[in-house]
Amino acid sequence: MNNIRSTIPDFPLTIRGIFEHGERIHAASEVATYAGEHIRRASYAQVGERVRRLAAGLGKLGIGPGDRVGTFAWNNQEHLEAYFAVPSMGAVLHCINIRLFPEQLIYIINHAADRIVIVDSSLVPLLAKFAGQLTTVERYIVIGEGGGLPRETLRYEDVLASAEPVRVWPEVAESAAAAMCYTSGTTGNPKGVVYSHRSTWLHAAAASMANSIGLTEDDKILPIVPMFHANAWGLPYSGWMCGADFLMPDRYMQAERIGRMIAAERPTVSGAVPTIWNEVLRYVDANGIDVSSLRCVVCGGAAVPRSMQEGFLNRHGVRVIQGWGMTETSPLAAVARPPRGTPKDQEIDWLNKSGRVVVGVELRLMSGEQELPWDGESVGEIEVRGPWVTSSYYLDDAPEKFHDRWLRTGDVGTVDAKGFIQITDRAKDVIKSGGEWISSMELENHLIAHPDVLEAVVIGVPDERWDERPLACVVMKPGAAATLEQLRDFLAARVARWWLPERWAFIAEVPKTSVGKLDKKVLRARYAKGEIGEVKVEKMG
Ligand code: ADP
């Protein structure tokens, strides 16, 4: 009696399974790619046939199970084809972050040991600069035309034409490696996370749930988040799984292009980091662009300013839903949908939380060895584990990040009884003033709500008396007149007195990381070199 077993055998959850489902069940759904002046369109059925050809072509070039195939590409149809072809044939997709520094790119491509790199023609000149130092790449496949790379270079369309479409896929275990991403390496070298078929499948399903992004065949997804940034947050897989149309922005990521794309093509769902949405909001506000087709804008990767969410909601009727996660968590771990019964006028309070933990992800709040209560007040470091949370890096030890399968996220915040997370800072960005913590993120969010402020970034700088104090750096909107004293007064009405920065600086622009987040490391270095002209603003106005 004790030895009862499930009558359902373990059936592998594979990317091939997602691919064939979409290809057959949603054959008429569309993948559109913005090409500057016009839009290229293909049905899932057509994309599917090309996926099969790409897999066969890669096979002819000697790619087999476990081999890494890199992509150095924008968000477009061909990149999506690689998303399915490479894992379905048992190889491993490595989406390379084109915005890393050359030394980091050389490091990650050699570290992942990519054998082939598929590259967009417009990115060939960038790749060519360091391709000579890539030790494992045997060939390049160029989408479009392009040469000048040190090894054999083939045209993507020729590779597709050279092979008969794969009809029978190899058996692939669900635990096999399917794709890999490197973190952007804010300290030291980037670290690789290797996703399995199973982790990708489950993450895609969890992201599609109505409690998360909530995707169906009626959706049209505009993934602005690059396909090399944590696999575009899984949108290619979850969208295909649900049969949604795709609108791929290719290299046209500027606010103006995005605004025009939204107005013309009317996507229902989109995802990008806050800096992008900020620019898009400014553009659509200034130009009267209709973005009302969007029913769900997913925003995360950094704290989402409430003022931006209010702008979209109040002026355009668009809900910006915040998500929280990291490359190590595939990335989606929490999504901030307002809980049941929330009155309309309080929705924004919930949308502005970092996220509500998604089923599958287990979370705890820690202070040293002690677990803290989920009371919405206790502040600790968030740890997570789950079926799509990594518990190590690829060929790289980081014992300080992992223990007993828990991932130490380095994010500090609170969790409430309903599982809503509020990140207050990254552990390394928290400002430690006189033994107390000041949230740089909260100061930034208040500052950016000032009508004259375009961007704001707050870092902790050394202080003799308090160890550290905040330095507020602001970029003003063109023609804005607010003084630093006025900005300080604006903050004074919103935060505790001892949080108020005494040190201020106007800066021309905020440095950004390779995925468009505020780059505090660069700002700290500039401050240390005395390159930031700080002003003392001590008296309240
Ligand atoms: P990188 O470390 O290069 O920025 P990731 O994109 O993996 O790469 O970043 C993950 C980090 O982004 C998280 O650990 C967290 O600090 C931050 N983050 C993600 N989502 C949010 C959010 N909604 N609010 C605040 N911070 C966030």
Side-chain angles (χ1 to χ4, degrees):
M1 258 195 294
N2 286 334
N3 61 1
I4 186 165
R5 284 178 167 233
S6 164
T7 56
I8 302 173
D10 286 347
F11 188 85
L13 303 172
T14 60
I15 290 175
R16 197 258 319 141
I18 299 176
F19 165 65
E20 290 195 320
H21 176 85
E23 183 193 34
R24 169 168 260 190
I25 308 298
H26 303 287
S29 292
E30 182 183 84
V31 178
T33 303
Y34 195 74
E37 297 312 315
H38 68 286
I39 291 191
R40 298 189 279 139
R41 298 178 195 274
S43 66
Y44 270 29
Q46 289 166 329
V47 171
E49 200 60 10
R50 289 168 55 87
V51 166
R52 293 172 183 276
R53 284 187 176 276
L54 175 60
L58 289 170
K60 275 178 68 177
L61 295 172
I63 294 296
D67 285 338
R68 268 77 73 198
V69 176
T71 57
F72 200 74
W74 303 107
N75 291 13
N76 52 31
Q77 180 188 327
E78 290 77 8
H79 207 166
L80 186 70
E81 288 163 2
Y83 258 59
F84 289 108
V86 175
S88 295
M89 63 186 293
V92 181
L93 178 79
H94 171 205
C95 298
I96 304 160
N97 180 345
I98 59 168
R99 300 209 179 94
L100 292 179
F101 295 117
E103 315 82 71
Q104 293 177 314
L105 287 164
I106 295 162
Y107 173 82
I108 66 169
I109 297 171
N110 289 342
H111 189 263
D114 295 340
R115 290 186 59 194
I116 286 187
V117 175
I118 300 175
V119 50
D120 266 331
S121 59
S122 63
L123 296 170
V124 167
L126 181 58
L127 185 62
K129 285 194 189 142
F130 58 87
Q133 294 173 67
L134 302 177
T135 53
T136 61
V137 179
E138 297 155 22
R139 290 190 178 82
Y140 296 93
I141 299 179
V142 178
I143 304 168
E145 307 291 334
L149 292 162
R151 300 286 156 95
E152 184 186 9
T153 305
L154 305 163
R155 287 178 67 244
Y156 186 85
E157 293 301 326
D158 291 344
V159 172
L160 264 58
S162 73
E164 285 304 307
V166 170
R167 294 291 166 218
V168 182
W169 296 97
E171 292 256 325
V172 176
E174 64 172 14
S175 58
M180 63 197 301
C181 271
Y182 282 77
T183 63
S184 51
T186 37
T187 47
N189 280 323
K191 308 257 188 298
V193 176
V194 183
Y195 309 113
S196 68
H197 285 261
R198 176 187 155 85
S199 73
T200 307
W201 207 109
L202 293 170
H203 175 265
S208 317
M209 280 176 30
N211 271 350
S212 306
I213 304 171
L215 296 172
T216 73
E217 198 182 19
D218 293 330
D219 281 310
K220 182 185 279 193
I221 304 174
L222 170 65
I224 305 172
V225 48
M227 290 166 86
F228 55 73
H229 182 200
N231 284 345
W233 303 346
L235 286 171
Y237 294 126
S238 41
W240 187 275
M241 184 180 247
C242 298
D245 286 342
F246 285 95
L247 173 61
M248 298 296 201
D250 201 83
R251 80 200 77 154
Y252 305 100
M253 311 270 216
Q254 312 77 2
E256 183 190 343
R257 300 275 196 166
I258 297 286
R260 291 204 327 238
M261 259 180 245
I262 297 173
E265 287 289 309
R266 304 196 60 75
T268 59
V269 174
S270 186
V273 293
T275 44
I276 299 263
W277 287 125
N278 243 339
E279 288 166 22
V280 172
L281 180 62
R282 281 212 316 141
Y283 179 78
V284 300
D285 275 349
N287 295 279
I289 304 278
D290 177 10
V291 292
S292 61
S293 63
L294 290 167
R295 67 164 182 79
C296 176
V297 160
V298 190
C299 190
V304 179
R306 184 183 169 112
S307 50
M308 188 260 280
Q309 289 178 303
E310 283 171 340
F312 269 108
L313 194 62
N314 301 339
R315 299 199 287 279
H316 302 276
V318 173
R319 253 183 171 193
V320 177
I321 294 188
Q322 184 159 188
W324 169 80
M326 52 208 302
T327 304
E328 291 85 337
T329 64
S330 293
L332 213 69
V335 185
R337 271 192 185 278
R340 157 206 292 191
T342 303
K344 269 258 167 274
D345 60 344
Q346 288 170 27
E347 275 197 352
I348 198 83
D349 296 339
W350 295 100
L351 293 172
N352 193 241
K353 304 268 179 198
S354 313
R356 188 184 206 177
V357 76
V358 170
V359 62
V361 174
E362 296 185 5
L363 181 146
R364 65 184 188 183
L365 196 59
M366 301 300 287
S367 171
E369 294 297 297
Q370 194 198 343
E371 208 174 321
L372 301 176
W374 290 19
D375 56 11
E377 283 177 10
S378 308
V379 178
E381 181 178 1
I382 289 173
E383 297 193 355
V384 287
R385 63 180 182 185
W388 53 89
V389 177
T390 196
S391 57
S392 63
Y393 290 120
Y394 177 62
L395 300 182
D396 206 334
D397 260 356
E400 71 290 356
K401 292 282 288 195
F402 307 101
H403 62 121
D404 317 321
R405 288 224 52 183
W406 288 96
L407 163 71
R408 291 196 175 105
T409 64
D411 284 341
V412 171
T414 61
V415 185
D416 74 8
K418 291 190 169 96
F420 280 89
I421 305 167
Q422 183 73 65
I423 303 293
T424 49
D425 236 327
R426 278 187 163 188
K428 56 179 185 285
D429 295 335
V430 167
I431 300 160
K432 298 176 188 84
S433 172
E436 301 279 350
W437 287 4
I438 297 175
S439 161
S440 64
M441 213 177 251
E442 203 176 320
L443 290 176
E444 286 156 6
N445 280 344
H446 286 303
L447 278 173
I448 205 172
H450 189 284
D452 282 359
V453 173
L454 183 60
E455 288 187 295
V457 54
V458 180
I459 54 171
V461 296
D463 182 90
E464 266 185 18
R465 179 152 177 226
W466 303 105
D467 292 336
E468 256 185 5
R469 289 295 296 160
L471 163 72
C473 303
V474 283
V475 182
M476 302 300 280
K477 287 185 184 158
T483 62
L484 290 175
E485 284 73 15
Q486 285 166 336
L487 293 183
R488 189 180 195 274
D489 289 353
F490 182 79
L491 270 190
R494 288 162 178 81
V495 301
R497 207 185 155 90
W498 64 274
W499 278 36
L500 286 178
E502 303 79 27
R503 297 173 172 84
W504 291 76
F506 285 126
I507 56 175
E509 62 178 330
V510 171
K512 304 270 166 54
T513 71
S514 61
V515 289
K517 305 187 193 186
L518 311 179
D519 197 337
K520 300 195 179 181
K521 192 177 53 145
V522 169
L523 210 62
R524 280 191 201 103
R526 280 191 200 158
Y527 181 81
K529 283 198 222 144
E531 289 173 9
I532 294 181
E534 87 179 14
V535 179
K536 288 262 162 52
V537 186
E538 308 219 49
K539 287 222 187 67
M540 306 264 289

